[in-house]
Amino acid sequence: MAKKGSRLREFEKNNRVLDITNTQQERQKKKSTGKKVKTGNPSEQGKKPLNLVKLVGIGVSLVFVMVVAISIKNIYDLKVRESALLDKHQELLKIEETLKLELENVNSDAYIEEQARKELKLIKGNELIFHFSDEPMKKDSKKDD
């Protein structure tokens, strides 16, 4: 008897008469409720690898964005460093110019005499040096004469 029951079910399954309008309405109801019915449709089976491809694509694009952002930061840092070095270069050029002017005057007698008076505090034979302090004198201090 078991065989007859299984044969009957198989026969009914294979020889069903389907009403197209009822079937379309059932599908619309399933779509609206969000229930997914697994079918042997190969388009639905390929969704998992597609999601993996999307994730890999997103990962690659994030790495690319990070590389570009780091490159932009490095370029900005180099531009800042370049401007600082250009300022330093201009300053050194000014110092070089003043040193060249001083070098031209080094061998003149007037320059040698001026430096001897300033730096070494030398005087000529008939001159006197008067040294004045910048601090005001205190009234209570003792005078040394």
Side-chain angles (χ1 to χ4, degrees), residues 71-83:
S71 298
I72 289 172
K73 182 192 175 296
N74 287 341
I75 289 171
Y76 176 76
D77 290 343
L78 289 174
K79 291 288 184 181
V80 168
R81 186 173 178 205
E82 179 186 26
S83 65

Side-chain angles (χ1 to χ4, degrees), residues 26-139:
E26 288 175 8
R27 284 184 186 168
Q28 288 176 358
K29 285 179 186 179
K30 287 180 183 179
K31 284 182 183 179
S32 65
T33 58
K35 292 182 181 177
K36 292 188 176 182
V37 177
K38 290 187 178 182
T39 60
N41 195 355
S43 65
E44 290 181 7
Q45 292 174 356
K47 285 187 179 181
K48 287 186 182 179
L50 184 62
N51 288 338
L52 181 63
V53 170
K54 284 181 182 179
L55 287 175
V56 169
I58 289 171
V60 169
S61 61
L62 284 175
V63 168
F64 178 74
V65 167
M66 291 298 292
V67 168
V68 169
I70 290 171
S71 298
I72 289 172
K73 182 192 175 296
N74 287 341
I75 289 171
Y76 176 76
D77 290 343
L78 289 174
K79 291 288 184 181
V80 168
R81 186 173 178 205
E82 179 186 26
S83 65
L85 289 174
L86 286 174
D87 292 341
K88 181 77 173 178
H89 180 69
Q90 291 298 324
E91 181 182 329
L92 290 174
L93 286 176
K94 289 178 183 177
I95 292 171
E96 181 187 18
E97 186 177 324
T98 58
L99 289 175
K100 282 183 179 179
L101 290 174
E102 187 176 332
L103 182 62
E104 291 175 3
N105 295 330
V106 166
N107 292 329
S108 69
D109 290 336
Y111 181 78
I112 293 171
E113 183 180 338
E114 179 187 341
Q115 290 301 315
R117 288 178 183 270
K118 257 188 200 178
E119 301 296 325
L120 302 174
K121 308 260 191 241
L122 295 177
I123 59 169
K124 290 185 178 179
N126 59 356
E127 293 179 339
L128 294 172
I129 294 180
F130 294 99
H131 182 68
F132 301 102
S133 66
D134 292 336
E135 298 177 14
M137 291 182 60
K138 295 181 181 177
K139 293 180 181 179

